[in-house]
């Protein structure tokens, strides 16, 4: 085992971020890869044991990390987002959670053999799903808006309630089992929960006011936010254990819904911190497990318990709680199947395992094994099945990666038309009804509105689109749009047209890191492209074969041809740029803007062939 704390930190960091990279590279659920990496480094090979090495710092570190992760997730909970979905969301996070608690507790008692006390505590813990597992799955699976929003809201809102429900169940158990029953402990629990909500709301309002009024400089906003989250969590948690999660959730939801401009600027930074913490905490938790815990996972009663939770408890609680909510059978089926447990379940369960065991409750020794069995089973089964099931139920936006084109003009509409002919999802966005008229007449999917406005987050479902092309007449606006959406799409998937020479802004000194990549080869401005279309240039689709290869195509094409993009057989799109070599093989389709002379020569060739045939 490694003795150096510095080396342990290094190993945890490498395993966490390395697992995230492997998951991205091979399209695997990140939680599954991290769990396996932690198990290999911990109980299997015995390289590290963070709980033993970190000592008293282990639990506080994990608690604060979970609080920050939950806060970051709650910043995405805007009430505008669930417009029209309020009823099913409310039912699932209330009646659905309650049914899941009762059914899970009964299953834990009668199947897993836990005492009533332990069963009701662990039943409360297992209603949680959480942002650490749900959000990565939603990013990978590309669900349609309705199931995606329901799962996201459930995962983030129910997370603190699961911990509170476990605390509530424990307080009830202690109250009922005590010889001198004192209801003051129960009253204190409810008052502490109410205090946590009020505290989170006050923290959110105060931080929001300080940000907007300029009492905190820009460079201190992110550090101040993290300091406030830790303070809010710690104060509430010191009053009553596990109410800190409720406090930071209330704080995040308050900030998300009071319309602070600074929040969006900081969100991407907090997302990066959240990913780092998620990776670290999962490696910490799994590598701290023991071989005895892993062996208990394969006990028959635990395996049967996990199967019942997967196939009976979760689906039944969702189907019953969503009666009359307007959700389709397909949506109920998907939501009823997807419920992976994650960090909160493991951390809260590990806390109660020691507390229940100290109190002498029967079955407390199995809590950690039961929790890990359910966590690992759900992240594996749901992680690998969510995409397949969504496609089977027609609730997936998967298919050919789509493109959003900003700016409606002669060229952008023509490009969108060709993409639609190739069955590529495409949308033209413009803030002018007059300019959008061209897209409307062409029957192109379009949206009216300012792409940079916050309202567009609720008007457009960005899920089907993997690329963004800013093709307006204004160079500075194109650069601004691309810079804004780089965190959403990735730097390699955001493009803008070349800066113009004859008109538009003169941005010769524009920093190369600002805006997206200049697209098409040779890169040309919007005025040049519109002029070529007006002069008779056409957008041509050319499919390569084993005989007609890319080299041949490039050799034969007209010198004035503008290469636009390649649609590969794998359904991926690869745009041509001057600074990157684009590859294409047999079966791929090249789309280009071709001079009219080639069209005339082809027509003339056909006429001559027809005449010769006659």
């Amino acid at each position: 085992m490694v003795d150096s704390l510095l080396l342990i930190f290094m190993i945890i960091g490498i395993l966490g971020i390395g697992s995230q990279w492997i998951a991205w590279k091979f399209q695997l659920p990140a939680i599954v890869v991290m769990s396996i990496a932690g198990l290999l480094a911990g109980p299997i090979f015995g390289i590290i044991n963070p709980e033993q090495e970190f000592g008293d710092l282990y639990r506080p570190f994990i608690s604060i990390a979970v609080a920050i992760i939950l806060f970051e997730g709650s910043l995405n909970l805007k009430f505008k987002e669930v417009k029209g979905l309020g009823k099913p969301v409310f039912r699932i996070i209330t009646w659905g959670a309650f049914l899941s608690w009762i059914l899970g507790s009964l299953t834990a008692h009668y199947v897993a053999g836990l005492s009533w006390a332990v069963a009701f505590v662990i039943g409360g813990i297992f209603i949680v799903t959480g942002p650490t597992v749900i959000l990565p799955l939603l990013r990978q699976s590309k669900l349609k808006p309705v199931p995606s929003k329901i799962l996201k809201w459930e995962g983030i809102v129910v997370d603190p309630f699961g911990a509170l429900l476990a605390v509530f169940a424990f307080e009830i158990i202690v109250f009922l089992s005590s010889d001198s029953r004192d209801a003051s402990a129960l009253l204190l629990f409810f008052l502490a929960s109410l205090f946590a909500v009020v505290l989170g709301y006050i923290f959110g309002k105060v931080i929001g006011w300080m940000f907007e009024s300029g009492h905190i400089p820009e460079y201190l906003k992110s550090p101040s936010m993290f300091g406030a989250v830790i303070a809010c969590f710690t104060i509430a948690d010191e009053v009553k254990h596990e109410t800190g999660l409720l406090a930071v959730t209330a704080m995040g939801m308050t900030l998300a819904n009071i319309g602070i401009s600074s929040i969006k600027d900081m969100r991407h930074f907090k997302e990066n911190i959240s990913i780092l913490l998620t990776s670290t905490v999962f490696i910490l938790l799994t590598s701290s497990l023991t071989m005895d815990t892993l062996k208990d996972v394969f006990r028959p009663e635990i395996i049967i318990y996990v199967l019942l939770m997967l196939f009976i408890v979760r689906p039944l609680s969702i189907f019953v709680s969503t009666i009359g909510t307007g959700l389709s059978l397909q949506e109920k089926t998907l939501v009823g199947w997807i419920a992976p447990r994650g960090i909160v379940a493991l951390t809260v369960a590990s806390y109660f395992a020691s507390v229940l065991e100290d109190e002498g409750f029967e079955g407390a020794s199995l809590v950690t094994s039961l929790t890990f069995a359910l966590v690992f089973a759900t992240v594996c089964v749901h992680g690998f099945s969510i995409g397949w099931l969504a496609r089977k139920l027609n609730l997936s936006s998967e298919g050919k990666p789509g493109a959003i084109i900003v700016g409606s003009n002669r060229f952008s509409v023509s490009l969108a038309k060709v993409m639609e002919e190739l069955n590529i999802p495409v949308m033209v966005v413009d803030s002018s009804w007059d300019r959008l008229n061209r897209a409307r007449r062409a029957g192109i999917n379009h949206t009216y509105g300012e792409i940079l406005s916050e309202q567009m987050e609720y008007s457009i479902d960005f899920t089907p689109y993997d690329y963004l092309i800013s093709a307006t007449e204004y160079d500075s606006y194109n650069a601004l749009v691309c810079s804004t959406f780089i965190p959403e799409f990735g730097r390699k998937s955001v493009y803008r047209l070349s800066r113009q020479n004859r008109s538009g802004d003169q941005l010769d000194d524009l920093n190369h890191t600002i805006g997206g990549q200049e697209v098409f080869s040779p890169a040309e401005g919007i005025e040049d492209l519109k002029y070529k279309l007006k002069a008779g240039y056409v957008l041509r689709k050319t499919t390569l074969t084993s005989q007609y290869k890319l080299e041949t195509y490039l050799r034969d094409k007209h010198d004035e041809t503008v290469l636009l993009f390649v649609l590969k057989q794998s359904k991926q799109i690869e745009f041509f740029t001057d600074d990157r070599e684009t590859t294409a093989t047999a079966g791929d389709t090249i789309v280009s803007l071709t001079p009219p002379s080639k069209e005339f020569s082809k027509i003339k060739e056909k006429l001559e062939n027809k005449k010769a045939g006659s």
Side-chain angles (χ1 to χ4, degrees):
M1 184 179 291
V2 177
D3 294 327
S4 169
L5 281 177
L6 192 60
L7 280 177
I8 291 175
F9 273 115
M10 181 197 74
I11 292 170
I12 291 170
I14 291 174
L15 290 177
I17 301 305
S19 298
Q20 292 275 6
W21 181 83
I22 291 171
W24 165 79
K25 184 69 175 178
F26 298 102
Q27 294 296 297
L28 299 171
I31 304 298
V32 176
V33 182
M34 287 188 288
S35 298
I36 294 172
L39 290 176
L40 291 174
I44 295 177
F45 292 115
I47 300 173
I48 57 175
N49 188 336
E51 185 174 14
Q52 179 181 318
E53 297 294 336
F54 292 171
D56 293 338
L57 291 176
Y58 178 78
R59 293 193 183 280
F61 173 77
I62 290 180
S63 296
I64 291 174
V66 171
I68 293 172
I69 293 166
L70 197 56
F71 170 76
E72 190 277 325
S74 63
L75 282 177
N76 297 309
L77 297 181
K78 296 187 178 182
F79 295 124
K80 291 180 181 178
E81 187 181 79
V82 288
K83 188 177 181 180
L85 291 176
K87 192 173 183 180
V89 168
F90 177 77
R91 289 273 199 89
I92 289 172
I93 65 177
T94 53
W95 288 109
F98 178 76
L99 284 171
S100 181
W101 176 40
I102 298 301
L103 294 174
S105 301
L106 292 174
T107 307
H109 175 70
Y110 287 110
V111 176
L114 304 183
S115 65
W116 281 114
V118 179
F120 272 94
V121 170
I122 205 168
I125 296 171
F126 287 164
I127 71 168
V128 306
T129 51
T132 59
V133 284
I134 279 293
L135 297 184
L137 290 186
L138 295 181
R139 281 195 292 266
Q140 292 176 1
S141 58
K142 290 191 173 184
L143 296 184
K144 288 185 176 179
V146 171
S148 178
K149 290 175 182 177
I150 289 175
L151 287 170
K152 182 176 81 172
W153 271 77
E154 181 202 10
I156 296 172
V157 173
V158 174
D159 231 24
F161 288 125
L164 284 177
L165 203 54
V167 176
F168 172 68
F170 179 72
E171 294 293 344
I172 290 288
I173 292 162
V174 172
F175 172 72
L176 293 177
S177 60
S178 175
D179 294 332
S180 56
R181 298 181 180 179
D182 185 3
S184 60
L186 291 179
L187 179 62
L188 176 63
F189 167 75
F190 288 113
L191 289 176
S193 300
L194 179 62
F195 170 76
V197 174
V198 174
L199 181 71
Y201 176 78
I202 292 173
F203 262 82
K205 294 290 283 188
V206 170
I207 286 292
W209 172 75
M210 294 183 73
F211 279 9
E212 290 297 279
S213 59
H215 290 292
I216 298 179
E218 291 296 324
Y219 74 94
L220 278 181
K221 284 185 176 179
S222 290
S224 300
M225 180 74 80
F226 278 110
V229 170
I230 294 172
C232 182
F233 170 79
T234 304
I235 293 170
D237 214 58
E238 286 296 313
V239 172
K240 189 65 179 175
H241 194 63
E242 299 303 340
T243 59
L245 297 180
L246 186 62
V248 294
T249 302
M251 178 182 172
M253 290 181 67
T254 301
L255 285 167
N257 289 282
I258 59 178
I260 300 176
S261 57
S262 305
I263 294 301
K264 189 170 183 179
D265 298 335
M266 292 187 293
R267 183 174 293 148
H268 301 300
F269 170 71
K270 290 192 292 295
E271 285 175 354
N272 293 336
I273 295 295
S274 180
I275 290 173
L276 178 62
L277 290 176
T278 300
S279 308
T280 302
V281 171
F282 243 92
I283 297 297
L284 283 172
L285 290 171
T286 52
S287 60
S288 296
L289 296 174
T290 64
M291 285 303 296
D292 290 336
T293 300
L294 295 184
K295 290 175 183 177
D296 285 339
V297 166
F298 297 99
R299 293 173 62 160
E301 61 269 30
I302 291 183
I303 293 173
I304 296 172
Y305 172 80
V306 170
L307 292 175
L308 289 174
M309 290 291 288
L310 285 171
F311 294 101
I312 303 295
V313 174
R314 169 67 178 185
L316 186 60
S317 62
I318 293 298
F319 272 84
V320 172
S321 64
T322 55
I323 293 173
T325 58
L327 292 182
S328 66
L329 178 61
Q330 291 87 345
E331 289 164 346
K332 290 181 181 180
T333 301
L334 183 65
V335 174
W337 172 244
I338 301 301
R341 278 66 169 186
I343 286 176
V344 173
L346 279 173
T347 53
V348 177
S350 62
Y351 165 75
F352 277 108
S354 57
V355 172
L356 291 168
E357 202 162 359
D358 292 341
E359 293 288 335
F361 288 105
E362 184 182 349
S365 59
L366 288 179
V367 168
T368 303
S369 300
L370 199 64
T371 304
F372 178 73
L374 188 64
V375 168
F376 191 74
T378 53
V379 296
C380 287
V381 173
H382 296 154
F384 285 109
S385 65
I386 184 171
W388 173 85
L389 184 60
R391 288 190 294 271
K392 289 294 182 182
L393 297 174
N394 196 29
L395 294 175
S396 173
S397 299
E398 282 193 350
K400 293 180 180 177
I404 290 179
I405 303 176
V406 181
S408 177
N409 49 61
R410 182 192 293 269
F411 172 75
S412 65
V413 170
S414 299
L415 178 63
K417 192 71 176 176
V418 171
M419 287 184 166
E420 281 200 343
E421 291 170 1
L422 292 170
N423 297 318
I424 297 172
V426 64
M427 176 182 289
V428 175
V429 181
D430 204 302
S431 58
S432 167
W433 273 110
D434 291 337
R435 290 193 295 267
L436 270 179
N437 188 46
R438 184 183 293 273
R440 287 195 298 272
R441 290 201 312 268
I444 300 297
N445 184 26
H446 61 278
T447 293
Y448 167 70
E450 172 52 62
I451 190 72
L452 296 176
S453 71
E454 184 180 352
Q455 190 59 36
M456 293 302 281
E457 293 182 19
Y458 316 111
S459 302
I460 299 178
D461 174 21
F462 288 92
T463 306
Y465 308 107
D466 292 72
Y467 306 97
L468 181 140
I469 302 172
S470 193
T472 72
E473 287 80 4
Y474 305 100
D475 296 327
S476 55
Y477 181 77
N478 291 339
L480 178 61
V481 168
C482 290
S483 295
T484 301
F485 282 94
I486 280 175
E488 302 290 338
F489 290 87
R491 190 171 296 275
K492 290 188 175 181
S493 299
V494 174
Y495 301 91
R496 58 181 168 83
L497 297 185
S498 174
R499 295 191 294 275
Q500 302 172 77
N501 296 322
R502 294 189 298 274
S503 61
D505 306 316
Q506 297 301 313
L507 302 175
D508 294 334
D509 295 329
L510 187 70
N511 191 307
H512 72 280
T513 63
I514 297 177
Q517 305 174 79
E518 287 193 349
V519 71
F520 309 140
S521 181
E524 296 194 357
I526 186 63
E527 295 300 333
D528 294 323
L529 294 168
K530 290 195 298 184
Y531 175 80
K532 288 183 175 180
L533 283 172
K534 192 174 181 180
Y537 278 59
V538 294
L539 276 81
R540 174 185 295 280
K541 304 184 289 287
T542 306
T543 301
L544 301 180
T545 65
S546 55
Q547 288 77 32
Y548 190 67
K549 298 182 180 180
L550 177 62
E551 295 78 12
T552 309
Y553 171 84
L554 294 175
R555 186 189 64 225
D556 294 346
K557 71 176 181 64
H558 194 283
D559 292 340
E560 295 296 318
T561 295
V562 179
L563 300 174
L564 304 180
F565 66 88
V566 176
L567 176 61
K568 295 183 172 293
Q569 281 187 304
S570 61
K571 298 181 181 179
Q572 295 296 314
I573 302 173
E574 190 170 337
F575 288 93
F576 284 96
T577 62
D578 284 339
D579 59 353
R580 190 180 68 198
E581 185 178 353
T582 301
T583 60
T585 58
D588 296 345
T589 301
I590 298 176
V591 177
S592 60
L593 185 62
T594 306
S597 57
K598 189 159 188 174
E599 289 294 311
F600 296 151
S601 64
K602 280 189 170 292
I603 293 171
K604 182 178 179 182
E605 183 180 346
K606 287 182 180 179
L607 289 174
E608 289 178 351
N609 291 338
K610 187 175 181 181
K611 184 176 180 181
S614 302

